[in-house]
Amino acid sequence: MGNFQLEDFAAGWVGGAASVIVGHPLDTVKIRLQAGVGYGNTLSCIYTVYKRESVFGFFKGMSFPLASIAVYNSMVFGVFSNTERFLSRHRCGEPEAGPGRSLSDLLLASMVAGIVSVGLGGPVDLIKIRLQMQTQPLREVNHGLKSRAVALGEQAAYQGPIHCIATIVRTEGLAGLYRGASAMLLRDIPGYCLYFIPYVFLSEWITPEACTGPSPNAVWLAGGIAGAISWGTATPMDVVKSRLQADGVYLNKYNGVLDCISQSYRQEGLKVFFRGLTVNAVRGFPMSATMFLGYELSLKALHSNNTVASP
């Protein structure tokens, strides 16, 4: 338990792949609501996407996150687990000798995971959002901004993930792949604290003392509740991040986090920062439940007859 364990990374990969498949359709709805135009509430957005793009519209841009977010989640879960184990060993000498899992260890490990998530996940999120947003209704905006769609003849801006990456690097440089990274940091550092910590304590609370580890039902329930809490509370900064990352598909409108917050508030009021809250919370439950369940079951299989390790 005290040593660095590669199994955490492998189990995180399995859970990440499963969560993408479960969560991507509602993720598309969330992004359209937060950064798109011409959509009303959640049900209106679902109906509009289906009417214009059929069921395939909900899976727009899925191939890239399916291939990359699994690796991204693998790193996040692996970093969290090994960081917490390192801190626990440093605090207690041997984790097994300690009184239990420390809130301070969990908090610091979650913050480290949040920082790592931005370094790896920033470009992944950017490409996913650009691909999801390029089929939104096009609209000229005021403020003297010129739509790229005019020059493109209202064609899709990108022909796929590789073309999207190449276009961003060519037009914005390598730094363009990290557009919205500061907003993502402000979302993910507290977001992962409210992701891992509730999961750990909920799964321990649900699990009877006589059991050596949480049951699949306990993992599913604790993971789902933790995901709903984390994604629900992260919504305001998630809106800002989505707008910054979608900016540049057809328009260039924002000059950083503060400018995005200012323009969004001035034009749409305080309610704009809670756009997609329902979708975030609803999507967060099955997506995170699948993530943690895939992680724990894979870890148990990798450890064979050993006790289920910490997430």
Side-chain angles (χ1 to χ4, degrees), residues 32 39 69 104 106 138 150 158 181-182 185 188 192 203 205 209-210 233 235-236 266 297:
R32 298 288 181 92
Y39 303 107
I69 288 182
S104 61
L106 292 169
L138 306 179
V150 174
Y158 312 111
S182 53
L185 269 174
D188 282 5
Y192 275 114
S203 61
W205 179 65
E209 290 185 11
T233 54
T235 297
R266 189 168 60 248
L297 292 178

Side-chain angles (χ1 to χ4, degrees), residues 119-154:
L120 294 172
V124 173
D125 237 20
L126 178 74
I127 303 306
K128 175 178 69 68
I129 287 176
R130 291 287 178 94
L131 292 172
Q132 287 172 320
M133 288 298 297
Q134 67 174 340
T135 53
Q136 69 164 329
L138 306 179
R139 181 179 71 180
E140 291 287 345
V141 294
N142 296 321
H143 316 296
L145 297 173
K146 184 70 174 176
S147 170
R148 284 181 61 206
V150 174
L152 291 169
E154 299 200 359

Side-chain angles (χ1 to χ4, degrees), residues 100-120:
R101 302 178 78 169
S102 163
L103 178 60
S104 61
D105 292 349
L106 292 169
L107 186 64
L108 187 54
S110 299
M111 293 173 69
V112 173
I115 294 170
V116 169
S117 77
V118 176
L120 294 172

Side-chain angles (χ1 to χ4, degrees), residues 101 199-200 202-208 211-222 292-293 296-297 300 307-311:
R101 302 178 78 169
Y199 169 74
V200 168
L202 279 170
S203 61
E204 288 182 350
W205 179 65
I206 295 170
T207 303
C211 297
T212 56
S215 68
N217 287 338
V219 170
W220 183 85
L221 182 59
F292 278 106
L293 187 60
E296 292 284 11
L297 292 178
K300 188 174 183 179
T307 302
V308 176
S310 58

Side-chain angles (χ1 to χ4, degrees), residues 219-259:
V219 170
W220 183 85
L221 182 59
I225 293 173
I229 292 170
S230 176
W231 276 107
T233 54
T235 297
M237 197 49 63
D238 190 45
V239 170
V240 176
K241 181 202 73 73
S242 295
R243 291 188 166 209
L244 285 170
Q245 291 184 322
D247 195 37
V249 177
Y250 296 114
L251 305 167
N252 288 291
K253 184 178 180 181
Y254 304 116
N255 295 310
V257 173
L258 292 179
D259 182 53

Side-chain angles (χ1 to χ4, degrees), residues 20-21 24-25 28 49 54-63 132:
V20 171
I21 295 170
H24 193 80
T28 297
V49 172
S54 79
V55 70
F56 298 107
F58 296 103
F59 295 92
K60 184 75 66 177
M62 181 175 167
S63 59
Q132 287 172 320

